[in-house]
Amino acid sequence: QVQLVESGGGLVQAGGSLRLSCEGSGRTFSSNAVDWYRQAPGKERELVSGITSGGLTNYADFVRGRFTISRDNAKNTVYLEMNNVRPEDTAVYYCHVAVPTWGRQYDYWGQGTQVTVSS
């Protein structure tokens, strides 16, 4: 099993920066891709960024060029560096890992960390 804990959220002014962390436990953490999702009140959860076990990354269009995802497998941690944040980035940010096991997929989620961007 994989357990995920997000941290690093908080209040930041528009144009500022902060770094989110997702610390995972479990033997399979370093062998799986990790994603960051976010969900604003009244809106659907949306994919923000992802990183494969080999370090390949992808970004949603609305964060490309502003956010950077990275991982440190020695620390079982994935980071999301958020730069030039905007008020519309305000949301709860969730870490996610999908683990395929014996023909089915198990989805693991952290508890989320709140990011609030003031104008």
Side-chain angles (χ1 to χ4, degrees), residues 3-7 21-25 29 75-78 95:
Q3 296 179 347
L4 306 171
V5 179
E6 302 98 332
S7 62
S21 298
C22 172
E23 184 176 2
S25 62
F29 181 82
K75 298 181 178 180
N76 284 339
T77 302
V78 171
C95 184

Side-chain angles (χ1 to χ4, degrees), residues 42-56:
K43 297 183 179 180
E44 295 184 348
R45 189 169 298 185
E46 61 184 352
L47 178 64
V48 176
S49 183
I51 185 167
T52 70
S53 61
L56 299 179

Side-chain angles (χ1 to χ4, degrees), residues 71-92:
R71 69 190 302 163
D72 185 345
N73 286 336
K75 298 181 178 180
N76 284 339
T77 302
V78 171
Y79 304 97
L80 185 68
E81 183 73 30
M82 306 171 63
N83 298 308
N84 192 24
V85 295
R86 306 165 179 170
E88 51 264 41
D89 293 324
T90 296
V92 177

Side-chain angles (χ1 to χ4, degrees), residues 26-50:
R27 297 177 61 87
T28 63
F29 181 82
S30 63
S31 300
N32 287 275
V34 179
D35 307 306
W36 282 100
Y37 285 77
R38 71 185 187 187
Q39 187 168 23
K43 297 183 179 180
E44 295 184 348
R45 189 169 298 185
E46 61 184 352
L47 178 64
V48 176
S49 183

Side-chain angles (χ1 to χ4, degrees), residues 38 48-49 59-68 89 93:
R38 71 185 187 187
V48 176
S49 183
Y59 300 93
D61 289 341
F62 52 82
V63 303
R64 185 174 289 111
R66 300 189 297 120
F67 294 4
T68 302
D89 293 324
Y93 284 72

